[in-house]
Amino acid sequence: YWDLEENPDQEVSMFGPPTAISQAIMSFHIRRMAIWSTLNFDYYDIPFDEENMPTVFKPIARRHISDYDDVYARNTTRFTTEQLRRLLVLFHLPPVIRVRCGFAQNASYYEFGREELLLFCVTKIALGLPNTFLCDSIFGGSGKPWSYGYRWFLRYLNRRYDCVLGLDGLHRWVPHFPKFAHAIEKHMRAEMVWTDPRNGQRRLVPGVYYLPGRFNI
């Protein structure tokens, strides 16, 4: 019993002040709850209705160039299937590409086949779509591993073709800039047939009506 009038600052407890026995009992229950939680995690059975629910991500497709025809390859990568095979040879990509996904010593790796990584990267460059959309519509799985593979691909090309893509290689293309500008203008004005990769429906996409200034090109 606590006299609140004489001791208003004292803590009120229904069970009185804690004792060594009450603390031991509380510690025993905490340990038992921890053991039960561990056993529940180890032996948890997924009900059939939960197991049969659709997964969060679309299954990984493991795309290969042989899966594409020329029309689909043109719409998604801007290359034909023969050009994609030629790129695969010229880039000298290793058969299996392992990309580290962390900075710790025990960090894990993501593995990619060279064909699927090439197809994903050229599709992303051509369409400019986020990884989640590309995975939901074409490649499946989560978009996180592809972000590591995409950065690896760009660094790989930058190292391999630094003499062409870097500032030193830019000077050799200066005389061809007018030719490039004319080709860009022609491409921007041309009508294109775009195929939706999700359902295969095609629609005509008109070109631009007003070209920007030559300096912008």
Side-chain angles (χ1 to χ4, degrees):
Y1 172 75
W2 299 86
D3 190 350
L4 297 180
E5 294 183 357
E6 295 183 0
N7 304 286
D9 297 331
Q10 289 182 342
E11 182 181 357
V12 179
S13 175
M14 295 179 60
F15 304 100
T19 62
I21 296 177
S22 64
Q23 289 181 348
I25 294 174
M26 181 62 68
S27 177
F28 169 76
H29 286 300
I30 292 175
R31 289 197 301 270
R32 187 166 61 174
M33 288 298 297
I35 294 174
W36 286 349
S37 299
T38 304
L39 292 175
N40 181 64
F41 178 80
D42 292 337
Y43 296 100
Y44 173 71
D45 290 331
I46 302 177
F48 291 112
D49 56 345
E50 183 177 339
E51 185 178 3
N52 295 329
M53 292 180 63
T55 56
V56 178
F57 300 113
K58 182 180 178 181
I60 300 176
R62 300 298 181 189
R63 295 288 184 182
H64 296 277
I65 299 176
S66 58
D67 300 333
Y68 289 25
D69 55 26
D70 282 339
V71 176
Y72 188 81
R74 278 279 191 182
N75 285 311
T76 56
T77 68
R78 306 296 184 259
F79 295 101
T80 64
T81 55
E82 185 61 32
Q83 290 172 337
L84 289 172
R85 293 188 181 93
R86 183 63 176 163
L87 286 176
L88 192 65
V89 174
L90 294 177
F91 285 168
H92 291 280
L93 294 170
V96 178
I97 299 162
R98 302 179 74 245
V99 183
R100 193 169 185 171
C101 57
F103 298 98
Q105 293 183 354
N106 58 346
S108 57
Y109 290 80
Y110 290 123
E111 288 191 358
F112 305 92
R114 60 178 181 176
E115 285 193 41
E116 62 176 347
L117 184 60
L118 174 67
L119 290 173
F120 180 88
C121 293
V122 294
T123 302
K124 183 174 178 63
I125 294 172
L127 302 181
L129 297 173
N131 294 355
T132 52
F133 183 88
L134 293 176
C135 291
D136 293 340
S137 58
I138 303 176
F139 296 94
S142 171
K144 184 177 180 180
W146 291 112
S147 63
Y148 289 91
Y150 182 68
R151 288 196 294 266
W152 180 93
F153 183 79
L154 295 181
R155 295 191 187 103
Y156 174 83
L157 293 184
N158 185 61
R159 291 192 303 268
R160 181 174 177 81
Y161 299 103
D162 180 64
C163 60
V164 178
L165 302 177
L167 294 177
D168 294 337
L170 187 62
H171 295 289
R172 74 182 68 177
W173 299 107
V174 172
H176 301 279
F177 280 2
K179 179 181 178 181
F180 295 158
H182 177 71
I184 294 174
E185 290 177 350
K186 182 179 179 181
H187 179 75
M188 293 174 65
R189 284 186 169 181
E191 293 182 343
M192 299 181 62
V193 178
W194 184 79
T195 303
D196 192 330
R198 295 171 296 183
N199 51 32
Q201 294 182 355
R202 300 181 181 181
R203 61 184 177 89
L204 188 64
V205 180
V208 298
Y209 297 103
Y210 301 98
L211 291 173
R214 178 59 63 88
F215 180 79
N216 292 335
I217 295 289

